[in-house]
Amino acid sequence: MTALMEIRDAGRTFNAGGKSVTAVKSMSLVFPGDSPRLITLAGESGCGKSTLALMALGFLAPTSGQVLFEGQDIATMADRHRRQFRRSVQAVFQNPFEVFNPFYRVDHTFHLALRQLGMDRRSSEARQAVEGVLARVRLDPQRVLGRYAHQLSGGQLQRIQIARALLLKPRVLVADEPVSMIDASLRILVLRQLVEIKEQLGVSILYITHDLSTALQISDELLIALNGEIVERGDPLEVVTRPRHPYTGMLVRSVPSSDPNDRWTSEIPDTPR
Ligand SMILES: Nc1ncnc2c1ncn2[C@@H]1O[C@H](COP(=O)(O)OP(=O)(O)OP(=O)(O)O)[C@@H](O)[C@H]1O
Ligand SMILES: [Mg+2]
Protein backbone atom coordinates (compact mmCIF):
# COMPACT_ATOMS: atom_id res chain seq x y z
CA MET A 1 0.00 0.00 0.00
CA THR A 2 1.26 3.47 -0.89
CA ALA A 3 2.27 5.54 2.12
CA LEU A 4 0.18 8.62 2.84
CA MET A 5 3.35 10.62 3.20
CA GLU A 6 7.00 9.75 3.10
CA ILE A 7 10.06 11.84 3.77
CA ARG A 8 12.85 9.98 2.04
CA ASP A 9 16.44 10.88 2.94
CA ALA A 10 15.55 14.56 2.90
CA GLY A 11 18.38 17.01 3.48
CA ARG A 12 18.61 20.76 3.49
CA THR A 13 21.61 23.03 3.22
CA PHE A 14 21.40 26.81 3.51
CA ASN A 15 23.71 29.43 2.17
CA ALA A 16 24.18 31.87 5.01
CA GLY A 17 26.42 34.82 4.18
CA GLY A 18 28.57 32.82 1.76
CA LYS A 19 28.83 29.94 4.23
CA SER A 20 27.05 26.68 3.71
CA VAL A 21 25.04 25.46 6.72
CA THR A 22 23.58 21.96 6.71
CA ALA A 23 20.42 22.10 8.84
CA VAL A 24 19.28 18.58 7.91
CA LYS A 25 21.77 16.01 6.61
CA SER A 26 19.33 13.22 5.92
CA MET A 27 16.08 12.34 7.64
CA SER A 28 13.37 9.83 6.73
CA LEU A 29 9.93 9.05 8.10
CA VAL A 30 6.75 7.40 6.89
CA PHE A 31 3.06 7.97 7.58
CA PRO A 32 1.36 4.78 6.41
CA GLY A 33 -1.64 4.90 4.13
CA ASP A 34 -3.84 2.58 6.16
CA SER A 35 -3.87 4.01 9.68
CA PRO A 36 -3.11 7.37 11.27
CA ARG A 37 0.12 7.64 13.22
CA LEU A 38 1.51 10.14 15.70
CA ILE A 39 5.24 10.45 15.18
CA THR A 40 7.33 12.50 17.59
CA LEU A 41 10.58 14.08 16.48
CA ALA A 42 12.71 15.07 19.47
CA GLY A 43 16.22 16.41 19.79
CA GLU A 44 18.29 19.34 20.93
CA SER A 45 17.94 22.88 19.69
CA GLY A 46 19.42 23.36 16.23
CA CYS A 47 19.34 19.67 15.22
CA GLY A 48 17.08 20.45 12.26
CA LYS A 49 13.55 19.73 13.54
CA SER A 50 11.89 22.89 12.26
CA THR A 51 13.71 22.62 8.95
CA LEU A 52 12.30 19.12 8.54
CA ALA A 53 8.82 20.42 9.47
CA LEU A 54 9.04 23.12 6.80
CA MET A 55 10.07 20.51 4.21
CA ALA A 56 7.17 18.26 5.24
CA LEU A 57 4.79 21.18 4.74
CA GLY A 58 6.23 21.96 1.32
CA PHE A 59 7.33 25.43 2.52
CA LEU A 60 10.99 24.62 1.99
CA ALA A 61 12.41 22.43 -0.78
CA PRO A 62 14.90 19.73 0.21
CA THR A 63 18.35 20.13 -1.32
CA SER A 64 18.66 16.32 -1.33
CA GLY A 65 16.12 13.52 -1.05
CA GLN A 66 12.36 13.79 -1.46
CA VAL A 67 9.04 14.45 0.19
CA LEU A 68 6.38 12.15 -1.24
CA PHE A 69 2.66 12.60 -0.78
CA GLU A 70 0.54 9.63 -1.84
CA GLY A 71 3.58 8.30 -3.65
CA GLN A 72 4.32 11.46 -5.62
CA ASP A 73 7.25 13.79 -5.15
CA ILE A 74 5.80 17.15 -4.10
CA ALA A 75 8.59 18.94 -6.00
CA THR A 76 7.36 17.64 -9.33
CA MET A 77 3.65 16.95 -8.84
CA ALA A 78 0.99 18.57 -11.01
CA ASP A 79 -0.62 21.80 -9.74
CA ARG A 80 -3.96 20.19 -8.97
CA HIS A 81 -2.31 17.51 -6.89
CA ARG A 82 -0.09 20.10 -5.18
CA ARG A 83 -3.13 22.13 -4.15
CA GLN A 84 -4.60 19.00 -2.65
CA PHE A 85 -1.29 18.30 -0.84
CA ARG A 86 -1.22 21.85 0.54
CA ARG A 87 -4.68 21.43 1.98
CA SER A 88 -4.00 17.93 3.27
CA VAL A 89 -0.88 18.80 5.24
CA GLN A 90 -1.50 21.58 7.76
CA ALA A 91 0.72 23.34 10.27
CA VAL A 92 0.45 24.25 13.92
CA PHE A 93 3.31 26.57 14.85
CA GLN A 94 5.01 27.19 18.15
CA ASN A 95 4.27 30.83 18.86
CA PRO A 96 0.56 31.63 18.62
CA PHE A 97 1.24 35.33 19.14
CA GLU A 98 3.28 35.43 15.93
CA VAL A 99 0.80 33.43 13.87
CA PHE A 100 -2.20 35.71 14.39
CA ASN A 101 -2.24 39.12 12.77
CA PRO A 102 -2.81 41.57 15.65
CA PHE A 103 -4.89 43.89 13.46
CA TYR A 104 -7.54 41.32 12.63
CA ARG A 105 -10.01 39.50 14.80
CA VAL A 106 -9.17 35.79 15.08
CA ASP A 107 -12.18 35.07 12.83
CA HIS A 108 -9.98 36.22 9.95
CA THR A 109 -7.93 33.03 10.16
CA PHE A 110 -11.12 31.04 9.55
CA HIS A 111 -12.20 33.36 6.72
CA LEU A 112 -8.99 32.61 4.84
CA ALA A 113 -9.52 28.87 5.28
CA LEU A 114 -13.16 29.15 4.19
CA ARG A 115 -12.08 31.02 1.09
CA GLN A 116 -9.63 28.22 0.34
CA LEU A 117 -12.58 25.85 0.55
CA GLY A 118 -14.61 28.07 -1.78
CA MET A 119 -17.22 28.69 0.94
CA ASP A 120 -19.02 31.98 1.49
CA ARG A 121 -18.07 32.96 5.04
CA ARG A 122 -21.50 34.45 5.68
CA SER A 123 -23.31 31.24 4.79
CA SER A 124 -24.85 29.08 7.48
CA GLU A 125 -22.79 26.17 6.15
CA ALA A 126 -19.59 28.13 6.89
CA ARG A 127 -20.78 29.13 10.35
CA GLN A 128 -21.60 25.52 11.17
CA ALA A 129 -18.23 24.33 9.90
CA VAL A 130 -16.36 26.87 12.08
CA GLU A 131 -18.48 26.04 15.13
CA GLY A 132 -17.88 22.33 14.50
CA VAL A 133 -14.08 22.64 14.51
CA LEU A 134 -14.14 24.94 17.56
CA ALA A 135 -16.24 22.34 19.40
CA ARG A 136 -13.66 19.72 18.47
CA VAL A 137 -11.02 21.68 20.43
CA ARG A 138 -13.57 22.51 23.18
CA LEU A 139 -13.78 26.22 22.51
CA ASP A 140 -17.00 28.16 22.82
CA PRO A 141 -17.46 30.21 19.60
CA GLN A 142 -19.17 32.95 21.60
CA ARG A 143 -16.11 33.39 23.78
CA VAL A 144 -13.45 33.42 21.09
CA LEU A 145 -14.94 34.70 17.83
CA GLY A 146 -14.92 38.46 17.44
CA ARG A 147 -11.81 38.81 19.59
CA TYR A 148 -8.27 39.90 18.82
CA ALA A 149 -5.30 37.62 19.55
CA HIS A 150 -4.16 39.74 22.52
CA GLN A 151 -7.55 39.19 24.16
CA LEU A 152 -7.07 35.42 24.20
CA SER A 153 -4.71 33.11 26.05
CA GLY A 154 -1.89 31.22 24.37
CA GLY A 155 -3.79 27.98 24.96
CA GLN A 156 -6.92 29.34 23.31
CA LEU A 157 -4.91 30.61 20.34
CA GLN A 158 -3.17 27.25 19.88
CA ARG A 159 -6.56 25.53 19.85
CA ILE A 160 -7.80 28.09 17.30
CA GLN A 161 -4.76 27.26 15.13
CA ILE A 162 -5.67 23.58 15.37
CA ALA A 163 -9.34 24.33 14.62
CA ARG A 164 -8.39 26.36 11.54
CA ALA A 165 -6.26 23.48 10.30
CA LEU A 166 -9.12 21.02 10.87
CA LEU A 167 -11.48 23.15 8.80
CA LEU A 168 -9.43 22.13 5.78
CA LYS A 169 -9.91 18.43 6.60
CA PRO A 170 -6.20 17.60 6.65
CA ARG A 171 -4.67 14.13 6.53
CA VAL A 172 -1.51 15.24 8.34
CA LEU A 173 -0.84 17.89 10.98
CA VAL A 174 2.71 19.13 11.44
CA ALA A 175 2.89 20.56 14.96
CA ASP A 176 6.25 22.21 15.69
CA GLU A 177 6.50 22.61 19.48
CA PRO A 178 2.78 23.37 19.68
CA VAL A 179 2.60 23.54 23.46
CA SER A 180 5.98 24.90 24.49
CA MET A 181 4.70 28.46 24.85
CA ILE A 182 1.55 27.74 26.79
CA ASP A 183 0.90 27.17 30.48
CA ALA A 184 1.95 23.77 31.76
CA SER A 185 -1.60 23.15 33.01
CA LEU A 186 -2.97 23.43 29.48
CA ARG A 187 -0.24 21.51 27.70
CA ILE A 188 -1.59 18.08 28.40
CA LEU A 189 -5.11 19.17 27.43
CA VAL A 190 -3.94 20.36 24.01
CA LEU A 191 -1.84 17.22 23.50
CA ARG A 192 -4.81 15.04 24.42
CA GLN A 193 -6.82 16.89 21.82
CA LEU A 194 -4.17 16.05 19.22
CA VAL A 195 -4.47 12.36 20.13
CA GLU A 196 -8.26 12.63 19.87
CA ILE A 197 -7.93 14.23 16.43
CA LYS A 198 -5.74 11.33 15.34
CA GLU A 199 -8.10 8.72 16.73
CA GLN A 200 -11.44 10.24 15.83
CA LEU A 201 -10.64 12.02 12.58
CA GLY A 202 -7.85 9.72 11.36
CA VAL A 203 -5.33 12.55 11.04
CA SER A 204 -1.62 11.64 11.21
CA ILE A 205 0.56 13.96 13.27
CA LEU A 206 4.20 14.96 13.24
CA TYR A 207 4.79 16.28 16.75
CA ILE A 208 8.03 18.14 17.33
CA THR A 209 9.18 18.66 20.88
CA HIS A 210 12.02 18.83 23.37
CA ASP A 211 9.82 17.11 25.90
CA LEU A 212 10.36 13.35 26.02
CA SER A 213 7.82 12.79 28.78
CA THR A 214 4.88 14.03 26.68
CA ALA A 215 6.30 12.23 23.65
CA LEU A 216 6.20 8.99 25.60
CA GLN A 217 2.58 9.51 26.55
CA ILE A 218 1.15 10.33 23.16
CA SER A 219 3.26 8.98 20.31
CA ASP A 220 3.19 5.79 18.28
CA GLU A 221 6.76 6.23 17.12
CA LEU A 222 9.62 8.26 18.52
CA LEU A 223 12.47 9.64 16.43
CA ILE A 224 15.56 11.12 18.07
CA ALA A 225 17.48 13.63 15.97
CA LEU A 226 21.01 14.84 16.42
CA ASN A 227 22.96 17.19 14.14
CA GLY A 228 20.62 16.84 11.18
CA GLU A 229 20.18 13.08 11.34
CA ILE A 230 17.82 10.65 13.04
CA VAL A 231 20.02 8.59 15.31
CA GLU A 232 17.35 6.41 16.88
CA ARG A 233 13.74 5.46 16.17
CA GLY A 234 11.10 3.04 17.33
CA ASP A 235 8.40 2.32 19.84
CA PRO A 236 8.55 5.24 22.33
CA LEU A 237 8.72 3.11 25.47
CA GLU A 238 11.36 0.90 23.89
CA VAL A 239 13.46 3.90 22.84
CA VAL A 240 13.21 5.54 26.24
CA THR A 241 13.78 2.45 28.37
CA ARG A 242 16.41 0.82 26.18
CA PRO A 243 18.19 3.60 24.34
CA ARG A 244 20.84 2.33 21.94
CA HIS A 245 22.41 5.64 21.04
CA PRO A 246 24.37 7.50 23.78
CA TYR A 247 22.62 10.75 22.90
CA THR A 248 19.17 9.22 23.55
CA GLY A 249 20.42 8.01 26.93
CA MET A 250 21.52 11.54 27.74
CA LEU A 251 18.15 12.99 26.69
CA VAL A 252 16.31 10.43 28.83
CA ARG A 253 18.47 11.16 31.87
CA SER A 254 17.90 14.87 31.48
CA VAL A 255 14.11 14.51 31.95
CA PRO A 256 13.41 15.68 35.51
CA SER A 257 11.82 13.02 37.67
CA SER A 258 8.50 13.80 39.32
CA ASP A 259 9.68 11.97 42.43
CA PRO A 260 11.10 14.55 44.88
CA ASN A 261 13.18 11.83 46.54
CA ASP A 262 14.97 11.17 43.28
CA ARG A 263 18.26 13.02 43.32
CA TRP A 264 19.46 14.76 40.17
CA THR A 265 22.53 12.66 39.61
CA SER A 266 23.29 12.68 35.92
CA GLU A 267 26.27 14.59 34.71
CA ILE A 268 26.27 16.25 31.34
CA PRO A 269 28.13 13.78 29.16
CA ASP A 270 29.90 14.63 25.94
CA THR A 271 27.41 14.99 23.15
CA PRO A 272 28.56 12.97 20.18
CA ARG A 273 29.10 15.36 17.26
N1 LIG B 1 17.07 29.89 6.75
C1 LIG B 1 18.19 29.49 7.33
N2 LIG B 1 19.38 29.98 6.96
C2 LIG B 1 20.53 29.58 7.53
N3 LIG B 1 20.60 28.66 8.51
C3 LIG B 1 19.44 28.13 8.95
C4 LIG B 1 18.19 28.52 8.40
N4 LIG B 1 17.20 27.82 9.03
C5 LIG B 1 17.82 27.05 9.93
N5 LIG B 1 19.16 27.23 9.89
C6 LIG B 1 20.16 26.55 10.74
O1 LIG B 1 19.94 25.16 10.64
C7 LIG B 1 20.08 24.53 11.91
C8 LIG B 1 18.79 23.80 12.27
O2 LIG B 1 17.77 24.74 12.51
P1 LIG B 1 16.29 24.32 12.95
O3 LIG B 1 15.54 25.59 13.14
O4 LIG B 1 15.77 23.35 11.98
O5 LIG B 1 16.57 23.60 14.35
P2 LIG B 1 15.53 23.08 15.45
O6 LIG B 1 15.88 21.66 15.73
O7 LIG B 1 14.15 23.38 15.03
O8 LIG B 1 15.92 23.96 16.73
P3 LIG B 1 14.97 24.49 17.94
O9 LIG B 1 14.77 23.32 18.85
O10 LIG B 1 15.81 25.54 18.58
O11 LIG B 1 13.71 25.01 17.36
C9 LIG B 1 20.45 25.62 12.88
O12 LIG B 1 21.85 25.61 13.00
C10 LIG B 1 19.97 26.87 12.21
O13 LIG B 1 20.74 27.97 12.60
MG1 LIG C 1 12.63 24.56 15.85
Side-chain angles (χ1 to χ4, degrees), residues 12-16 19 21-24 43-54 60 94 176-177 208-210:
R12 174 73 203 202
T13 298
F14 292 104
N15 209 323
K19 241 181 64 188
V21 178
T22 298
V24 175
E44 68 185 358
S45 184
C47 70
K49 303 181 298 296
S50 295
T51 304
L52 186 77
L54 293 173
L60 197 62
Q94 176 176 19
D176 189 353
E177 304 202 43
I208 293 177
T209 185
H210 286 100

Side-chain angles (χ1 to χ4, degrees), residues 25-47:
K25 274 184 207 147
S26 172
M27 294 192 191
S28 300
L29 61 87
V30 178
F31 287 110
D34 54 355
S35 63
R37 182 179 292 184
L38 198 156
I39 301 180
T40 294
L41 176 64
E44 68 185 358
S45 184
C47 70

Side-chain angles (χ1 to χ4, degrees), residues 69-86:
F69 185 72
E70 293 176 330
Q72 299 210 35
D73 188 336
I74 63 168
T76 53
M77 67 179 33
D79 283 353
R80 193 180 51 82
H81 202 177
R82 181 168 305 112
R83 273 196 300 278
Q84 192 205 332
F85 157 77
R86 286 221 181 273

Side-chain angles (χ1 to χ4, degrees), residues 2-201:
T2 313
L4 171 61
M5 185 162 166
E6 181 178 354
I7 297 178
R8 194 183 284 170
D9 300 323
R12 174 73 203 202
T13 298
F14 292 104
N15 209 323
K19 241 181 64 188
S20 156
V21 178
T22 298
V24 175
K25 274 184 207 147
S26 172
M27 294 192 191
S28 300
L29 61 87
V30 178
F31 287 110
D34 54 355
S35 63
R37 182 179 292 184
L38 198 156
I39 301 180
T40 294
L41 176 64
E44 68 185 358
S45 184
C47 70
K49 303 181 298 296
S50 295
T51 304
L52 186 77
L54 293 173
M55 291 196 283
L57 287 158
F59 294 165
L60 197 62
T63 42
S64 57
Q66 294 169 301
V67 177
L68 306 161
F69 185 72
E70 293 176 330
Q72 299 210 35
D73 188 336
I74 63 168
T76 53
M77 67 179 33
D79 283 353
R80 193 180 51 82
H81 202 177
R82 181 168 305 112
R83 273 196 300 278
Q84 192 205 332
F85 157 77
R86 286 221 181 273
R87 242 170 72 177
S88 302
V89 183
Q90 289 292 321
V92 179
F93 292 111
Q94 176 176 19
N95 187 343
F97 297 98
E98 275 176 5
V99 168
F100 291 89
N101 186 326
F103 302 112
Y104 288 110
R105 296 174 205 278
V106 294
D107 313 37
H108 186 66
T109 191
F110 292 113
H111 297 165
L112 296 176
L114 290 167
R115 194 188 301 160
Q116 233 177 312
L117 291 168
M119 266 194 211
D120 175 358
R121 66 175 151 103
R122 282 169 291 264
S123 67
S124 61
E125 185 196 9
R127 208 187 56 234
Q128 273 174 20
V130 171
E131 288 178 358
V133 290
L134 284 172
R136 172 66 62 191
V137 293
R138 315 274 195 285
L139 284 175
D140 177 354
Q142 303 225 353
R143 295 182 66 172
V144 295
L145 294 179
R147 298 203 168 210
Y148 292 93
H150 72 268
Q151 297 174 314
L152 297 167
S153 73
Q156 284 172 318
L157 291 175
Q158 281 313 62
R159 286 183 284 156
I160 291 175
Q161 264 206 83
I162 296 170
R164 179 211 59 88
L166 293 181
L167 202 52
L168 295 163
K169 300 200 168 38
R171 312 279 309 276
V172 180
L173 276 185
V174 176
D176 189 353
E177 304 202 43
V179 296
S180 62
M181 299 203 50
I182 65 178
D183 285 352
S185 58
L186 272 176
R187 272 182 211 156
I188 205 67
L189 170 86
V190 173
L191 292 175
R192 276 208 201 109
Q193 288 179 352
L194 287 180
V195 173
E196 203 177 284
I197 286 164
K198 181 195 82 172
E199 283 169 359
Q200 295 178 4
L201 303 179

